[in-house]
Amino acid sequence: MGVIHSSPLSLSPFTTAIRITGSSVFPYTSKANPERVINSPFNHTDNICLPNLLKPTKKFGSFSHFSHISTCLGSKTVPFKCFGKVREMETQEGIFQKTLIDFHGIDEELIQKMVYDALVWCSLHGLVVGDKSVQRSGKVPGVGLVHAPFALLPMAFPEIHWNLACEVAPIFNELIDRNKRKWMPLHRGLLDIHSKMLEINKKEEIRLGLHRSDYMLDEKTKLLLQIELNTISSSFAGLSCRVSELHRSLLNSYGEHIGLDPRRIPGNASVDKFAEALAKAWTEYNRPRALVMVVVQPEEHNMYDQHWLCAELKDRYPFNLLYSLSCVELWEILPDGTLLVGGQEISVVYFRAGYAPTDYPSEAEWRARLLMEQSSAVKCPSISYQLAGTKKIQQELAKPNMLERFLDNKEDIAKLRKCFAGLWSLEDSDIIKKAIERPELFVMKPQREGGGNNIYNDDVRTNLGICHKDHAVSELGVYGAYLRNKEKVISKRAVWMLECGTKVSSSNEGGVAAGFAVLDSIYLN
Amino acid sequence: MGVIHSSPLSLSPFTTAIRITGSSVFPYTSKANPERVINSPFNHTDNICLPNLLKPTKKFGSFSHFSHISTCLGSKTVPFKCFGKVREMETQEGIFQKTLIDFHGIDEELIQKMVYDALVWCSLHGLVVGDKSVQRSGKVPGVGLVHAPFALLPMAFPEIHWNLACEVAPIFNELIDRNKRKWMPLHRGLLDIHSKMLEINKKEEIRLGLHRSDYMLDEKTKLLLQIELNTISSSFAGLSCRVSELHRSLLNSYGEHIGLDPRRIPGNASVDKFAEALAKAWTEYNRPRALVMVVVQPEEHNMYDQHWLCAELKDRYPFNLLYSLSCVELWEILPDGTLLVGGQEISVVYFRAGYAPTDYPSEAEWRARLLMEQSSAVKCPSISYQLAGTKKIQQELAKPNMLERFLDNKEDIAKLRKCFAGLWSLEDSDIIKKAIERPELFVMKPQREGGGNNIYNDDVRTNLGICHKDHAVSELGVYGAYLRNKEKVISKRAVWMLECGTKVSSSNEGGVAAGFAVLDSIYLN
């Protein structure tokens, strides 16, 4: 059973942009917002290989092999046109200046240089994923690496909306924490565990949430609309920090030529802050010899995103990490609730698995999950937090008077409500009909987490049985962490950074990036 | 025609070590120095895949999938045996303490963790090469990446010898600069250009050399013996800095357990210093708008090593880089000697190509090289420097009374002479006979530059027509830069860092690392 998540007519980030994936550079066309379409110099073929892009130009004479040629242009020496344009845009908060990143007429040679430099940057700075076409690349680090799919330049984003997104993050965190009612049976296994915890009146004294709230911007209603709130395995904190750095590095080199200022890309410290929150949870648990366990999937092409976080933990904090898989049979709980794995005490269980149906192939995984939930280890997230992040529950929260059950502050409630894009169940046949007729109005959210599962635009029709075509929609993700110990909130308003991903569905894309988000950062205006 | 380079009986770095290459972890066996053999826990098969290495152990219970499991052990919490041993070793300079890195009895699980962590580290920190088994990986950055082949731990190296190696580097630089006689016709094309320069009495006012002097250590004679002096395209300055950092990072995590102190790995600033020397040459040329041109090969799997240097240049210095290939037909020289490429003035030509016969597939490349040499641009290296680095000329320099022709300081001469391992020509049939009988005494040096071309041990026989077997020999490379403007020496004693590569011949190895040096760092004792 799916849920259709309404989205407004003119999603601002829904544009053609230059997205660079494993073996190709390809543009996406916007139907929603043709005015803001980036007129890519590339042909609209599926896979434009870099050697073709880096073909000779007259400027540098005739080289016999040009595939390895690129120029790094520093500032000031080579004159380029300035492409930045400023126009006014009205929002519900008033009128503000908006710089559009307008690529009309941008020099093709310059784009080629930027692509080349960006690819080098990714390789040197660990903005990489496992190449799905290479065996073992999801299991063994260091082999089958390919740069992560990324957008060549940041997405323009109004500062006012960004501020709002940062402002509501701690409120959402609070909402997740308070959200303890017994929900409809949707995730049967999770709910069973949840019910058992309710039965034994299990108290989670230390509660840690590492969340990412995803938004789209509606140009018509001028609203920042929440698409989903991830409460388990919020990904790309590691790689998105790298993307912000990549874009800043490109703008340092080329910003003057294209009229963009690197300082307008907000700092992204999400990976530091997630590490800090995990470390604080370990401190609160207050057993110095206990380990932090990272529960991972047996095959994970996005492993370097996780390793960035783990590297931060290893470098800065004194505790030890234990990578593990969710299927664990020899774990045990001591009478006092201590969780032991192989005889070693676990203080914090950080899940980068456990959200997909395939993460529970047998009863053993469910037993392991139950065991963890019964223990006194800090779960990030607990079953309760995880359930609160499911689409069905978010849909419930969007109903009238629901937020009031969990939150007191009326202003907070109003802010959150403004962000709800509205959720309808697929059980409603009128909605299905409308989705088929006007697919651009909807984003179909499958009832699971993890990247690459969203189905946009014409693919809504596909999935409802009509046709095939892929498009991409950019989302802004804002990370936030929440940590409390009994009644003491340790990190509540701790809201940090953003990740900006363009999720593409995996059917038609080809290449190694299929199923990955195309990473982006934002440019404030 | 080859040259046999004699090497002493017991080359100290000629040992079994754990070398990690693209798709395998494999040990090398030492015949020369069995006492120092590292008793690797791995079977002596050619390719031991990591998933096998990361198999379950009792300690962590029974996991259903263990391939992605590793533990990061911080200091203090998990007790491990200390494996460091200290013994006295006599040298020509006296007696000093020598810590042997002895892997006898080292915990297999610990090695597995270190391998896993090291592979992650490489991926996040750009210690990568292009995987030769992936198309385009030598042409397009960001695709087909694989960690560079590296040794898991640094090679123990006596501080006294390291100091000597650093001390003689500027003397060798000076020698290269003064070495201007007309040599035997060996590199016909280079010599033709050299002759033409002598005819027109061409003065190179600004002379820049970025050199790497490679050594082996002879335990029998206690001598540091120079194997070769690279004067063109000295590679691995970029990646070897990363390897030093990798080893320091591993020793930060595991050093206490294996009795090694990360502070004993000397800092490696070679890439900074090479960048600084290039920048200084550009400053001396004194034309702010002129570019630095990096001449590269059309296909280069070691491109990230070059990109590290270029990244350093781009980040820290105001001039622009132009990547190019040596085959250039539309270059021009103005009457005042100014070199123009596509209308842009070139101040410094930095060669990462031009050393291999295949770099000159036609007359066009020779014309380009001649044009550059005729120009007033700073060549790194000039034809003269490049010739001085050829084996034949180094062999000549090793002859009695040759050094005295170029150097004045008797102490300097004595130091250099001590480092000459001795060179014999293959024209000498007695030498060939001896090489076949006692291959362990010789290292055959083909008459060309570039990694992966050395043939060691049993392969000497192979190449002379007898049998096949591969072994590896570790070398210590010390980087040095030399810059002078007319009579003013700007960087003379500028001696920095070390690179420690185990060159393996490419025939039997298999995997993507074939032909690459296996990178290492040193551990001072």
Side-chain angles (χ1 to χ4, degrees):
Chain A
M1 187 193 306
V3 170
I4 284 196
H5 193 151
S6 84
S7 68
L9 255 177
S10 51
L11 292 169
S12 176
F14 192 85
T15 56
T16 296
I18 299 166
R19 317 280 177 188
I20 294 137
T21 61
S23 54
S24 59
V25 178
F26 56 92
Y28 285 96
T29 316
S30 165
K31 285 180 177 170
N33 193 2
E35 266 188 74
R36 300 189 65 258
V37 161
I38 295 157
N39 189 15
S40 159
F42 306 126
N43 295 323
H44 284 226
T45 50
D46 263 5
N47 291 297
I48 301 176
C49 298
L50 282 168
N52 297 332
L53 293 177
L54 298 170
K55 63 180 189 289
T57 61
K58 280 178 188 161
K59 191 165 183 183
F60 292 118
S62 107
F63 295 80
S64 63
H65 307 276
F66 213 102
S67 57
H68 196 198
I69 291 181
S70 177
T71 306
C72 168
L73 297 157
S75 57
K76 294 190 188 79
T77 55
V78 185
F80 276 97
K81 286 170 245 169
C82 174
F83 299 97
K85 287 182 185 171
V86 177
R87 71 171 192 193
E88 287 185 350
M89 184 188 172
E90 203 181 317
T91 68
Q92 75 268 42
E93 313 291 342
I95 289 170
F96 62 91
Q97 292 283 307
K98 187 178 183 192
T99 307
L100 293 182
I101 300 179
D102 183 354
F103 290 86
H104 275 286
I106 199 167
D107 190 72
E108 185 178 347
E109 199 185 341
L110 180 64
I111 301 243
Q112 291 170 18
K113 285 164 200 155
M114 290 173 72
V115 169
Y116 189 92
D117 283 4
L119 291 173
V120 168
W121 196 97
C122 290
S123 311
L124 300 187
H125 297 91
L127 180 45
V128 290
V129 296
D131 185 337
K132 284 183 177 171
S133 71
V134 178
Q135 270 205 328
R136 304 196 300 133
S137 65
K139 295 188 173 186
V140 183
V143 303
L145 301 167
V146 65
H147 68 88
F150 62 92
L152 186 58
L153 287 171
M155 171 177 79
F157 204 85
E159 188 160 10
I160 199 164
H161 282 136
W162 180 60
N163 290 341
L164 178 65
C166 292
E167 214 175 297
V168 293
I171 313 173
F172 276 119
N173 289 345
E174 194 78 56
L175 178 65
I176 293 294
D177 186 62
R178 295 190 184 180
N179 196 344
K180 292 208 177 62
R181 58 170 285 185
K182 197 178 173 185
W183 299 101
M184 297 289 291
L186 187 72
H187 274 275
R188 168 57 62 197
L190 295 177
L191 281 163
D192 283 352
I193 296 174
H194 187 56
S195 302
K196 282 176 190 156
M197 294 306 109
L198 289 174
E199 276 165 30
I200 63 169
N201 199 24
K202 175 77 163 61
K203 299 281 179 231
E204 290 300 321
E205 298 194 337
I206 304 170
R207 305 201 285 279
L208 173 65
L210 298 177
H211 304 147
R212 197 191 71 217
S213 181
D214 293 339
Y215 301 92
M216 289 182 191
L217 196 60
D218 178 27
E219 289 214 336
K220 195 179 174 195
T221 60
K222 316 299 175 208
L223 287 172
L224 180 79
L225 299 175
Q226 189 187 48
I227 302 302
E228 68 178 322
L229 178 57
N230 300 282
T231 59
I232 183 168
S233 194
S234 301
S235 59
F236 297 121
L239 293 190
S240 71
C241 289
R242 304 275 103 187
V243 175
S244 298
E245 286 174 36
L246 163 66
H247 286 160
R248 232 174 280 127
S249 162
L250 287 173
L251 294 195
N252 278 330
S253 295
Y254 301 101
E256 274 190 43
H257 308 301
I258 56 176
L260 297 175
D261 178 356
R263 290 167 300 182
R264 300 301 294 166
I265 298 172
N268 187 339
S270 50
V271 79
D272 300 9
K273 297 301 183 182
F274 270 19
E276 193 181 306
L278 281 162
K280 277 183 182 168
W282 172 81
T283 306
E284 290 296 319
Y285 190 82
N286 201 21
R287 299 286 289 267
R289 294 176 62 93
L291 309 179
V292 172
M293 182 162 68
V294 183
V295 180
V296 296
Q297 291 179 331
E299 188 160 3
E300 176 62 88
H301 289 89
N302 192 29
M303 67 165 89
Y304 304 103
D305 179 50
Q306 301 175 5
H307 284 309
W308 273 114
L309 178 55
C310 294
E312 194 68 33
L313 288 167
K314 284 191 256 182
D315 287 353
R316 289 174 46 192
Y317 300 103
F319 55 84
N320 297 319
L321 287 179
L322 173 67
Y323 294 89
S324 176
L325 298 153
S326 52
C327 170
V328 179
E329 287 178 328
L330 293 184
W331 297 7
E332 53 174 325
I333 303 189
L334 301 184
D336 68 352
T338 302
L339 178 65
L340 297 181
V341 176
Q344 294 181 285
E345 184 173 353
I346 306 297
S347 55
V348 181
V349 182
Y350 172 51
F351 286 95
R352 291 300 294 252
Y355 54 84
T358 49
D359 290 339
Y360 301 93
S362 73
E363 274 306 305
E365 289 79 16
W366 286 115
R367 282 200 305 278
R369 189 70 200 268
L370 175 62
L371 206 78
M372 284 186 262
E373 205 62 25
Q374 288 169 329
S375 80
S376 60
V378 182
K379 278 75 68 179
C380 177
S382 64
I383 291 281
S384 165
Y385 276 29
Q386 183 176 353
L387 282 172
T390 55
K391 308 293 175 299
K392 187 77 185 168
I393 288 175
Q394 287 174 19
Q395 182 187 351
E396 289 291 310
L397 287 170
K399 287 183 179 169
N401 301 316
M402 281 300 275
L403 288 178
E404 285 78 359
R405 297 196 190 179
F406 304 105
L407 298 172
D408 310 315
N409 187 311
K410 294 227 182 311
E411 274 181 41
D412 285 357
I413 292 170
K415 275 181 195 163
L416 292 202
R417 187 147 287 140
K418 249 200 278 185
C419 297
F420 281 137
L423 292 143
W424 293 274
S425 166
L426 271 191
E427 291 157 80
D428 183 337
S429 62
D430 283 351
I431 291 293
I432 295 174
K433 192 160 166 270
K434 202 172 169 192
I436 292 171
E437 283 166 3
R438 304 278 310 272
E440 70 277 17
L441 295 178
F442 296 89
V443 174
M444 198 167 96
K445 305 293 287 187
Q447 192 47 260
R448 50 178 292 208
E449 307 299 329
N453 298 313
N454 288 357
I455 303 146
Y456 293 108
N457 216 329
D458 289 359
D459 248 23
V460 174
R461 269 194 292 235
T462 306
N463 221 271
L464 296 168
I466 295 176
C467 76
H468 281 272
K469 198 175 172 191
D470 271 357
H471 288 294
V473 181
S474 278
E475 294 181 6
L476 167 70
V478 176
Y479 295 96
Y482 185 88
L483 177 64
R484 70 185 299 157
N485 191 348
K486 295 174 195 162
E487 295 314 305
K488 183 178 148 218
V489 177
I490 294 148
S491 298
K492 179 190 171 182
R493 302 259 156 203
V495 179
W496 305 287
M497 274 303 73
L498 62 146
E499 176 252 1
C500 203
T502 300
K503 295 203 177 106
V504 292
S505 59
S506 56
S507 54
N508 282 358
E509 189 198 330
V512 296
F516 271 110
V518 173
L519 297 166
D520 204 346
S521 73
I522 63 167
Y523 185 89
L524 297 181
N525 57 27
Chain B
M1 187 193 304
V3 171
I4 284 196
H5 193 151
S6 83
S7 67
L9 256 178
S10 52
L11 292 169
S12 176
F14 192 86
T15 57
T16 296
I18 299 166
R19 318 279 176 189
I20 293 136
T21 61
S23 55
S24 58
V25 178
F26 55 92
Y28 285 95
T29 317
S30 164
K31 285 181 177 171
N33 193 2
E35 264 187 79
R36 298 188 67 259
V37 162
I38 294 157
N39 188 14
S40 158
F42 306 126
N43 295 323
H44 284 227
T45 50
D46 264 5
N47 291 297
I48 301 178
C49 297
L50 282 168
N52 297 332
L53 293 177
L54 298 171
K55 64 181 189 288
T57 60
K58 280 179 189 163
K59 190 166 184 184
F60 292 117
S62 106
F63 295 79
S64 63
H65 307 275
F66 213 101
S67 57
H68 195 195
I69 292 182
S70 178
T71 305
C72 168
L73 297 157
S75 57
K76 297 192 186 77
T77 56
V78 185
F80 276 96
K81 287 170 247 168
C82 175
F83 298 97
K85 287 182 186 173
V86 177
R87 73 170 192 193
E88 286 184 351
M89 185 188 170
E90 203 182 315
T91 69
Q92 75 268 43
E93 313 290 342
I95 289 169
F96 62 91
Q97 292 284 308
K98 188 178 181 190
T99 306
L100 293 181
I101 300 179
D102 184 354
F103 290 86
H104 275 289
I106 200 167
D107 190 73
E108 185 177 347
E109 199 183 342
L110 180 64
I111 300 242
Q112 290 170 17
K113 286 164 201 154
M114 290 174 71
V115 168
Y116 189 93
D117 283 4
L119 291 173
V120 167
W121 196 98
C122 289
S123 311
L124 301 187
H125 296 90
L127 180 46
V128 291
V129 296
D131 185 338
K132 285 184 178 171
S133 71
V134 179
Q135 270 204 329
R136 303 196 301 131
S137 66
K139 295 188 173 187
V140 183
V143 302
L145 301 167
V146 65
H147 68 89
F150 63 91
L152 186 59
L153 286 172
M155 170 177 79
F157 204 84
E159 189 161 10
I160 200 164
H161 282 137
W162 181 59
N163 290 341
L164 178 65
C166 292
E167 215 175 295
V168 293
I171 312 173
F172 276 119
N173 289 345
E174 194 78 55
L175 177 66
I176 293 296
D177 186 62
R178 296 190 183 181
N179 195 344
K180 291 208 177 61
R181 58 171 286 187
K182 197 179 173 184
W183 299 102
M184 296 291 289
L186 187 72
H187 274 274
R188 168 57 61 198
L190 295 177
L191 282 163
D192 282 352
I193 296 173
H194 187 55
S195 301
K196 281 176 189 153
M197 295 306 109
L198 289 174
E199 275 165 30
I200 63 169
N201 199 24
K202 174 80 165 62
K203 299 281 179 230
E204 290 299 323
E205 297 195 336
I206 305 170
R207 304 201 286 279
L208 172 65
L210 298 177
H211 303 147
R212 196 191 71 217
S213 181
D214 293 339
Y215 301 93
M216 290 183 190
L217 196 60
D218 178 28
E219 289 214 335
K220 194 178 174 195
T221 61
K222 316 299 176 208
L223 286 172
L224 180 80
L225 299 175
Q226 188 187 47
I227 303 301
E228 67 178 323
L229 179 56
N230 301 280
T231 58
I232 183 167
S233 193
S234 302
S235 58
F236 297 120
L239 294 189
S240 71
C241 289
R242 303 277 104 186
V243 175
S244 297
E245 285 174 37
L246 163 66
H247 286 160
R248 231 174 281 128
S249 163
L250 287 174
L251 293 196
N252 278 330
S253 294
Y254 301 101
E256 275 191 41
H257 307 301
I258 55 175
L260 296 175
D261 178 356
R263 291 167 300 182
R264 300 301 294 166
I265 298 172
N268 187 340
S270 49
V271 79
D272 301 9
K273 298 301 182 184
F274 270 19
E276 193 181 307
L278 281 162
K280 277 184 182 168
W282 172 81
T283 307
E284 289 296 320
Y285 190 82
N286 200 22
R287 299 286 288 268
R289 293 176 64 92
L291 309 179
V292 171
M293 182 163 69
V294 183
V295 180
V296 296
Q297 291 178 331
E299 188 160 2
E300 176 62 88
H301 288 89
N302 192 29
M303 68 166 89
Y304 304 102
D305 178 51
Q306 301 175 6
H307 284 309
W308 273 114
L309 178 55
C310 294
E312 195 68 33
L313 287 167
K314 285 192 255 182
D315 288 351
R316 289 173 47 192
Y317 300 103
F319 54 84
N320 296 318
L321 287 180
L322 173 68
Y323 294 89
S324 176
L325 298 153
S326 52
C327 169
V328 180
E329 286 179 328
L330 291 186
W331 298 7
E332 54 173 326
I333 302 189
L334 300 184
D336 69 351
T338 301
L339 177 65
L340 297 181
V341 176
Q344 294 182 285
E345 183 173 354
I346 306 297
S347 55
V348 181
V349 182
Y350 173 50
F351 286 96
R352 291 301 295 251
Y355 55 83
T358 49
D359 290 339
Y360 300 93
S362 73
E363 275 305 305
E365 289 78 15
W366 287 115
R367 281 201 305 278
R369 188 72 199 268
L370 175 62
L371 206 78
M372 285 187 263
E373 204 63 25
Q374 287 168 330
S375 79
S376 59
V378 182
K379 277 75 69 181
C380 177
S382 64
I383 290 281
S384 164
Y385 277 29
Q386 183 176 351
L387 282 173
T390 56
K391 308 292 174 302
K392 187 76 184 170
I393 288 176
Q394 288 174 19
Q395 182 186 352
E396 288 291 311
L397 287 170
K399 287 183 179 170
N401 301 317
M402 282 300 274
L403 288 177
E404 285 77 0
R405 297 197 191 180
F406 304 105
L407 299 172
D408 309 314
N409 186 311
K410 293 225 182 313
E411 273 181 40
D412 285 356
I413 291 170
K415 276 181 194 163
L416 293 201
R417 187 147 287 142
K418 247 201 276 186
C419 296
F420 282 136
L423 292 143
W424 292 274
S425 167
L426 271 192
E427 292 157 79
D428 184 336
S429 62
D430 283 350
I431 291 292
I432 296 174
K433 193 159 167 269
K434 202 172 170 192
I436 293 171
E437 284 166 3
R438 304 279 310 271
E440 71 276 15
L441 295 179
F442 296 89
V443 173
M444 199 166 95
K445 304 293 287 187
Q447 191 49 260
R448 50 178 290 209
E449 307 299 329
N453 298 313
N454 289 357
I455 304 146
Y456 294 109
N457 216 329
D458 288 359
D459 249 22
V460 174
R461 268 194 293 231
T462 306
N463 221 272
L464 296 167
I466 295 178
C467 76
H468 281 272
K469 199 174 171 192
D470 271 356
H471 289 295
V473 181
S474 278
E475 294 181 7
L476 167 70
V478 176
Y479 295 96
Y482 185 88
L483 177 65
R484 69 185 301 157
N485 191 348
K486 294 174 195 161
E487 295 314 305
K488 183 178 150 216
V489 177
I490 293 147
S491 299
K492 179 190 171 182
R493 302 259 156 202
V495 180
W496 306 286
M497 275 305 71
L498 63 145
E499 176 252 3
C500 203
T502 300
K503 296 204 176 105
V504 291
S505 59
S506 57
S507 55
N508 280 358
E509 191 197 328
V512 296
F516 271 110
V518 173
L519 296 166
D520 205 345
S521 73
I522 63 167
Y523 185 89
L524 296 181
N525 58 28

